[in-house]
Structure formats: structure tokens, C-alpha cells
Amino acid sequence: MSLRPMMRNDRASAMLGMVVEHDAPGESRVSMTVRDDMLNGFAITHGGLVFTLADTAFAIACNEDERVTVAGGADITFLKSTTAGQTLTATAVRRARSGRTGLYDIRVTDETGDLVAEVRGRSITTDRRPPGTSETPANPARATSAIRATSAQPAVPAAEDAQMTEDVRAAGCDDATSAVRATSTIRATSARLAVPAAEDAQITETARSADRRPPCDPDHQRSAALPTTEVSR
């Protein structure tokens, strides 16, 4: 059968000679022939390697979509010992899956069908993607909303942008920092208020004729742009 990229890149499983016999969402079956170098000091299969076989079957079963799913924990019970020359088979099945967590049972049997070990694994699904695949936002809906919100902001035409820069200079902004601050204020105000062209021209003319004060700030510029009314006493 064709191996998924996750297993093609699994050097540990390949080193131990594991063979993927079945791979489907929520279930898998993996076999391994016990070698002499897999035995412990008592000439029986090392328990860690029995668990490694079960863990590989668990990994295949719980990685059911494009997100990386890892083990959050697992418990193993050893029921029978084996030795070199025997074939062990781990069969994993999903018992439950909710949100980011899942519960899987893995049975390890020998070539006669006798139960060698049982494992219960708990999975956690992450937002990561397997190496070599393109990254996508963890929450595509949220990212799309942010893009739409940004696109909804009114764009300042080039001609209007140039006019606002000229207005800033006319208001007495000699230093670059004050000019940038004042320009940002004008843009924010223009984005919120749709000022008619005739009224905008009148405000601009009034701002140019207003008294220029050396320390230019956005608050002064806005007050200077408003025509004053003489009140009779």
C-alpha cells in the first residue's frame, strides 16, 4: 500500500522494520518481526519496542486530517512475552474524538493471535502542519474576517494624499515627525468623515490662511481648520 508522507519520513519505524498494513481515518494496523537486537537481557522482546510498535499504529490512526496530532499520554499493559523470530501486529482503533482530543485503543498480538499487550492512547490535535506542507492560518475564518475588515477601510487616492501633505506643510509642520503625526490624523479624520469637495476646499483655504504656530500638532491643525465666528458684545 502507498505510505502517507508522515510514514515515509518516519526513520525510527523504518529502522525497526515496521510494515503498515492498513491505514484509514481512525484505524490502522502495523506489523514488526522481532529481531535478535530487539531482545532484552532475558532474551524476550524489549517492552519499549512493543510499545513503539503500538505507538506507531496509534500515530497513524489519530492523524486523521491535515493537522499534526500527537500523543498526550498512553498506558500499556503487558500480557505475554515474545522472542526473536516472532511477528507482532498492532491494531489501533478510535474510541472517541471531541474537539482537539481523542481516545484510541491499540492491541498488540503475536503471529498466533494471542494478545501480547494492550495500550490506551490519548491524542491532542495541534495547529501545526506536517513538514513540507504549506502553512495555513490556525483559524481561517478569523483570518478571512481580518482581511475583509482591512479591505473595508477607505483607501486615500494619490491626489488627495498629496493635497493633505501640502496642507500639513502649510500648517507649519517643519519637522518630519510632526508632519507624519499630523498626516495620520488627517487621514483618520478623512476616513471617518466624507467631506464634500467644496467644503473640503474651503477648510483647506482657511487652514492655509490661519496663524502658523511652530510646534505643529494634530490638535492645533484641526482647530486652525475651523472658521472662527466673531461674537458681538
Side-chain angles (χ1 to χ4, degrees), residues 143-156 190-192:
T144 301
S145 297
I147 292 173
R148 286 174 178 169
T150 302
S151 301
Q153 295 298 325
V156 180
S190 298
R192 292 193 300 267

Side-chain angles (χ1 to χ4, degrees), residues 35-80:
R35 305 189 307 244
D36 287 338
D37 59 356
M38 296 178 179
L39 305 182
N40 62 17
F42 300 114
I44 59 178
T45 307
H46 196 293
L49 297 178
V50 175
F51 179 80
T52 301
L53 174 64
D55 187 46
T56 296
F58 173 32
I60 296 173
C62 71
N63 276 275
E64 302 188 36
D65 53 35
E66 73 282 359
R67 297 171 297 173
V68 172
T69 298
V70 296
D75 302 308
I76 186 168
T77 300
F78 297 102
L79 301 171
K80 180 183 178 181

